[in-house]
Amino acid sequence: HRLGDGHRIFLEIPQLQPAHQIHLVVEPQPGVRRELFLTAHRLAAPFTDFPGYTALAKARPAMPATSSLPLRKSPYSAGTLGRALRVEAAAGLQFSTKALHARAGERLSLTFANPDVLPHNWVLLTPGSLAAVGARADQLIAAPEGITRHYIPDVPDVLAWTEMIAPGSEATIHFTAPQEPGSYPYLCTFPGHWMLMNGTLVVD
């Protein structure tokens, strides 16, 4: 990277490739660390108008072979129907509904719709586990099997989940609300999304 006028940084990444999710860890100065999550569906012409530019040969790096790995299926996609709930993805990495309500032990059928341009999912967690599970989901970006697991960590804090839903699609899952009253967070586990894209299922 190159320091600019004290407020801007130019970051040169010669081998950058289009991707749904790019995770950058930047340390602009000692003791200052920033994590950035970017989506780059298309790349413009290389920017070369800066001092010290040196042309480098472009070579696509080897990518892990994931196409042969089966996508994990949500065990909640079938089962006894319950009271209907609906949540949609919204612009700016948000859920359209930030709070849902259920009775303890109530059977629920939740439809998650994704009108956004990025894939998203809906994952229900135990109380107080949002940050820990979200951090583990972020780490799955580097795991070859991460996408096949819908970036959902294998931890007991995950109570129910949809698969990763493609843009313009929706899916319905069926599950029973927890027996213990409390506030149960839900999130999208696509790496980098959970910090904004989360809400709460309030169980009474």
Side-chain angles (χ1 to χ4, degrees):
H1 66 269
R2 299 166 188 273
L3 294 176
D5 56 8
H7 301 282
R8 296 176 296 175
I9 293 177
F10 174 64
L11 185 65
E12 181 185 10
I13 309 177
Q15 303 302 332
L16 185 65
Q17 301 290 338
H20 276 312
Q21 191 65 267
I22 299 169
H23 182 194
L24 298 178
V25 178
V26 182
E27 296 184 357
Q29 54 185 315
V32 178
R33 177 187 172 96
R34 296 289 183 267
E35 292 194 56
L36 307 175
F37 292 88
L38 313 174
T39 296
H41 288 163
R42 294 184 302 275
L43 299 180
F47 176 67
T48 61
D49 187 20
F50 61 91
Y53 169 74
T54 302
L56 298 175
K58 304 292 185 181
R60 182 179 293 272
M63 299 297 291
T66 60
S67 59
S68 61
L69 299 176
L71 283 173
R72 185 181 181 190
K73 300 295 291 183
S74 174
Y76 305 96
S77 58
T80 306
L81 301 183
R83 180 170 63 88
L85 297 175
R86 185 178 179 87
V87 179
E88 295 188 0
L93 299 183
Q94 299 286 337
F95 286 115
S96 61
T97 303
K98 301 292 286 186
L100 299 170
H101 294 266
R103 299 185 305 275
E106 182 182 13
R107 189 68 180 171
L108 302 171
S109 292
L110 181 138
T111 297
F112 175 54
N114 182 18
D116 197 18
V117 297
L118 294 172
H120 300 293
N121 63 0
W122 187 92
V123 181
L124 182 66
L125 306 177
T126 59
S129 65
L130 176 66
V133 175
R136 294 192 65 162
D138 287 347
Q139 294 171 3
L140 288 174
I141 193 173
E145 75 281 6
I147 190 171
T148 68
R149 290 166 49 183
H150 309 284
Y151 301 110
I152 299 174
D154 282 326
V155 293
D157 291 309
V158 174
L159 301 179
W161 51 276
T162 72
E163 298 162 15
M164 199 63 65
I165 307 302
S169 302
E170 64 179 48
T172 301
I173 59 173
H174 314 281
F175 63 97
T176 300
Q179 295 288 347
E180 188 70 24
S183 297
Y184 293 76
Y186 57 83
L187 76 164
C188 170
T189 59
F190 196 100
H193 289 191
W194 69 272
M195 288 176 278
L196 295 174
M197 199 168 183
N198 61 73
T200 304
L201 172 67
V202 179
V203 177
D204 301 314

